[in-house]
């Protein structure tokens, strides 16, 4: 059974048209993350939540925002996507009780910007 | 110096070969170490955690060298299905923010 679910799996949007990516988890992990990954690069952390505490990485563009309405769900909003935002967006979860914050990833949303 | 460094490869090996990757880390306070496997256009998946005493899972062996600040992954009897990118992940004890290496690409050919 899928433990970290991301929707949609593929998203095509137009330059400047807002888009929302979603993530849900059935693991009851208290930490959730959003990563951006481009080809042949390491995943780049955009945001993370520790319980309800939100943390924004210093170099995450203002164009990106996130919401976590409850433990199970997390959203990534891209207000005005640019061509450079085309990437794979990965959601992950972790918990200290689960292998010392070993991360569980969703299948990702591949974003195309036209 | 990058926090976590890996040779991006690709490592191109025949089936049945033994191949080893290293990953160096710069933060001496690092305490948690992992190898993840990432297939093309898929998400990273945990391959194994790396313990101080080293650990083995079938054909895969991971080692930690704290003195030289590197971890290694050894794959014996390579299979075609081992072709993937192997990501090294490091974090300080109790930290939930890991640092990823950019990955090492392995291609196993017939």
């Amino acid at each position: 059974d899928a433990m970290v679910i991301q929707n949609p799996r593929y998203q095509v949007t137009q330059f400047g048209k807002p888009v929302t990516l979603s993530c849900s988890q059935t693991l009851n992990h208290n930490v959730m993350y959003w990563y951006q990954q481009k080809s042949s690069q390491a995943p780049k952390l955009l945001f993370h939540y520790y319980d309800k505490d939100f943390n924004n990485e210093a170099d995450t563009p203002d164009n990106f925002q996130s919401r976590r309405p409850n433990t199970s769900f997390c959203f990534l909003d891209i207000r005005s996507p640019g061509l450079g935002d085309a990437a794979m967006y990965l959601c992950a979860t972790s918990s200290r009780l689960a292998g010392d914050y070993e991360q569980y990833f969703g299948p990702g949303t591949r974003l195309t910007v036209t | 110096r990058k926090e976590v460094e890996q040779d991006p490869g690709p490592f191109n090996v025949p089936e049945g070969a033994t191949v080893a990757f290293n990953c160096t880390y710069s933060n001496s306070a690092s305490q948690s170490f992992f190898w993840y496997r990432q297939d093309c256009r898929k998400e990273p998946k945990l391959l194994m955690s790396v313990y101080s005493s080293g650990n083995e899972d079938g054909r895969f062996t991971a080692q930690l060298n704290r003195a030289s600040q590197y971890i290694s992954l050894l794959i014996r009897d390579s299979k075609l299905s081992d072709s993937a990118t192997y990501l090294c992940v490091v974090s300080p004890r109790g930290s939930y923010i890991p640092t990823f290496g950019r990955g090492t690409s392995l291609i196993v050919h017939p």
Side-chain angles (χ1 to χ4, degrees):
Chain A
D1 290 338
M3 297 181 288
V4 183
I5 301 163
Q6 290 188 244
N7 284 301
R9 295 289 307 277
Y10 301 91
Q11 175 73 58
V12 180
T13 190
Q14 292 177 334
F15 183 96
K17 186 174 182 181
V19 66
T20 295
L21 311 182
S22 73
C23 176
S24 63
Q25 55 135 336
T26 59
L27 297 164
N28 203 33
H29 285 173
N30 65 316
V31 189
M32 293 188 78
Y33 313 77
W34 278 107
Y35 287 91
Q36 179 193 67
Q37 188 178 27
K38 297 185 177 181
S39 182
S40 301
Q41 296 183 19
K44 177 181 181 298
L45 184 63
L46 298 173
F47 310 100
H48 67 273
Y49 288 88
Y50 189 97
D51 295 325
K52 294 183 179 180
D53 293 336
F54 172 72
N55 295 271
N56 188 6
E57 293 302 298
D59 57 353
T60 299
D62 293 339
N63 198 22
F64 289 77
Q65 296 183 328
S66 183
R67 297 168 281 138
R68 188 180 186 186
N70 55 52
T71 301
S72 302
F73 286 87
C74 198
F75 299 95
L76 174 63
D77 301 306
I78 308 177
R79 288 190 297 182
S80 183
L83 297 179
D85 296 329
M88 172 79 95
Y89 289 87
L90 294 162
C91 174
T93 72
S94 75
S95 166
R96 185 177 64 80
L97 300 177
D100 199 17
Y101 296 114
E102 158 192 323
Q103 289 183 312
Y104 294 75
F105 285 85
T109 295
R110 184 163 295 280
L111 178 68
T112 301
V113 182
T114 60
Chain B
R1 180 184 175 187
K2 292 182 181 176
E3 289 187 59
V4 178
E5 291 201 67
Q6 297 182 250
D7 180 346
F11 285 62
N12 211 315
V13 304
E15 270 188 292
T18 295
V19 62
F21 313 133
N22 281 348
C23 165
T24 59
Y25 60 93
S26 60
N27 184 353
S28 58
S30 298
Q31 292 288 343
S32 299
F33 307 90
F34 308 93
W35 283 105
Y36 281 75
R37 171 195 169 124
Q38 186 171 25
D39 292 295
C40 188
R41 301 175 75 83
K42 297 287 182 69
E43 76 275 25
K45 292 185 178 177
L46 181 69
L47 180 64
M48 56 200 312
S49 302
V50 187
Y51 305 121
S52 296
S53 55
N55 48 309
E56 185 173 316
D57 183 3
R59 297 182 294 107
F60 298 84
T61 300
Q63 296 280 353
L64 167 63
N65 185 317
R66 288 192 185 276
S68 301
Q69 294 186 196
Y70 73 87
I71 64 172
S72 64
L73 178 67
L74 179 78
I75 305 175
R76 290 180 296 278
D77 188 23
S78 299
K79 312 292 185 190
L80 297 177
S81 57
D82 294 334
S83 298
T85 295
Y86 291 85
L87 295 164
C88 169
V89 181
V90 174
S91 58
R93 180 185 292 281
S95 171
Y96 54 91
I97 306 299
T99 300
F100 283 76
R102 61 174 294 189
T104 296
S105 174
L106 172 65
I107 300 171
V108 182
H109 59 82

